[in-house]
């Protein structure tokens, strides 16, 4: 078995803090169809799900056509907000994220990946805005997979890299990330700074409170010396 290891990151709430645009775009989408927007807690609670799954969960009393309209309205509002503010302002990296990504990226035995509920277009814009286009060797997006917590994204990441679940770890801020990792047979690291409360991350093997704790957490999970 190769010594390579794979670290797969969620994006919103893990690498970047995009909640301002998420909340604003969702509010605009609901107002656009004449409905009252859900609460902040409810909106952040569905972050990580694909939009076609998130909207019925947020608005179970609406009909299918309204859910489609919400998806379209959200995408357009989010695009407009990002274009107006710029990626680095609308979705800033969390403190320490850049340093840790750069540190991990130069390690010969570590590969980095992404598994996100974002679209391909959305992820491309984000990576371009932060200069991260060459950081990740596998990038899994909502366009081509069932929504989290289905393990499809992580299974594809493993297939891309030729690694086994025991050689990989998922890093995320939501229960969906933890459930997805479990379903894929992978270890999981929860982050406390994201959009789900820490007690929702009970399936995580470890929960960290800052990005600078991540390298040692990865070492512990893989049985390395810290």
């Amino acid at each position: 078995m190769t010594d390579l290891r794979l670290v797969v990151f969620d994006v919103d709430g893990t690498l970047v803090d995009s909640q301002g645009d998420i909340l604003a775009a969702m509010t605009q989408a609901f107002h656009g169809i004449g409905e009252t927007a859900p609460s902040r807690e409810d909106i952040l609670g569905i972050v990580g799900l694909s939009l076609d799954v998130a909207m019925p969960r947020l608005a179970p009393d609406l009909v299918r056509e309204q859910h489609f309209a919400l998806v379209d309205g959200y995408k357009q509002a989010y695009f407009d907000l990002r274009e107006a503010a710029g990626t680095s302002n609308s979705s800033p990296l969390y403190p320490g994220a850049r340093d840790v990504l750069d540190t991990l990226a130069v390690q010969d035995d570590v590969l980095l990946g992404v598994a996100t509920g974002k679209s391909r277009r959305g992820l491309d814009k984000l990576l371009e805005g932060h200069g991260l286009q060459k950081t990740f060797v596998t990038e899994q997006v909502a366009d081509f997979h069932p929504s989290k917590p289905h393990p499809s994204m992580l299974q594809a990441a493993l297939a891309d890299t030729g690694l086994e679940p025991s050689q990989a770890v998922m890093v995320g801020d939501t229960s969906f990330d933890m459930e997805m990792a479990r379903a894929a047979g992978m270890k999981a690291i929860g982050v406390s700074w994201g959009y789900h409360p820490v007690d929702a991350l009970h399936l995580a093997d470890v929960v960290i409170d800052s990005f600078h704790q991540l390298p040692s957490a990865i070492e512990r999970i893989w049985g390395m010396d810290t």
Side-chain angles (χ1 to χ4, degrees):
M1 183 181 292
T2 177
D3 291 332
L4 282 175
R5 307 293 186 182
L6 173 64
V7 184
V8 183
F9 290 91
D10 170 57
V11 176
D12 295 305
T14 300
L15 288 176
V16 300
D17 187 3
S18 48
Q19 65 176 296
D21 281 0
I22 290 171
L23 293 167
M26 196 65 76
T27 298
Q28 289 184 36
F30 272 83
H31 289 174
I33 64 168
E35 296 289 333
T36 301
S39 68
R40 176 183 184 276
E41 180 181 8
D42 286 344
I43 293 172
L44 293 182
I46 56 84
V47 173
L49 296 176
S50 299
L51 288 173
D52 61 335
V53 173
M55 294 309 184
R57 184 173 294 197
L58 275 178
D61 295 332
L62 300 184
V63 299
R64 187 180 181 189
E65 290 72 18
Q66 290 173 302
H67 292 149
F68 289 152
L70 285 172
V71 170
D72 290 341
Y74 176 86
K75 287 181 176 179
Q76 186 60 54
Y78 196 96
F79 176 85
D80 292 343
L81 289 164
R82 183 183 59 215
E83 290 298 298
T87 298
S88 60
N89 291 318
S90 66
S91 297
L93 289 164
Y94 280 104
R98 170 77 64 178
D99 290 343
V100 172
L101 287 175
D102 289 346
T103 297
L104 293 174
V106 299
Q107 296 183 14
D108 292 337
D109 59 346
V110 174
L111 302 174
L112 302 182
V114 163
T116 176
K118 284 185 174 297
S119 67
R120 179 75 262 179
R121 181 180 74 165
L123 181 61
D124 286 346
K125 284 286 188 181
L126 181 82
L127 297 181
E128 179 184 356
H130 286 293
L132 295 172
Q133 300 97 316
K134 298 181 180 180
T135 301
F136 304 102
V137 301
T138 179
E139 298 169 359
Q140 307 303 324
V141 296
D143 306 58
F144 311 115
H145 297 282
S147 177
K148 297 176 183 181
H150 192 284
S152 177
M153 289 187 190
L154 294 183
Q155 291 167 341
L158 293 170
D160 282 352
T161 55
L163 299 181
E164 298 296 324
S166 62
Q167 298 169 282
V169 62
M170 176 70 199
V171 182
D173 71 303
T174 71
S175 59
F176 312 128
D177 297 315
M178 305 301 103
E179 292 167 16
M180 178 174 65
R182 290 295 186 193
M186 289 170 48
K187 298 292 188 181
I189 297 174
V191 304
S192 66
W193 56 81
Y195 303 152
H196 279 195
V198 172
D199 60 8
L201 307 178
H202 61 275
L203 292 180
D205 294 281
V206 62
V207 177
I208 59 175
D209 298 317
S210 76
F211 247 104
H212 293 298
Q213 294 176 346
L214 182 58
S216 61
I218 292 171
E219 290 178 352
R220 289 200 305 275
I221 279 181
W222 287 331
M224 303 176 186
D225 292 331
T226 56

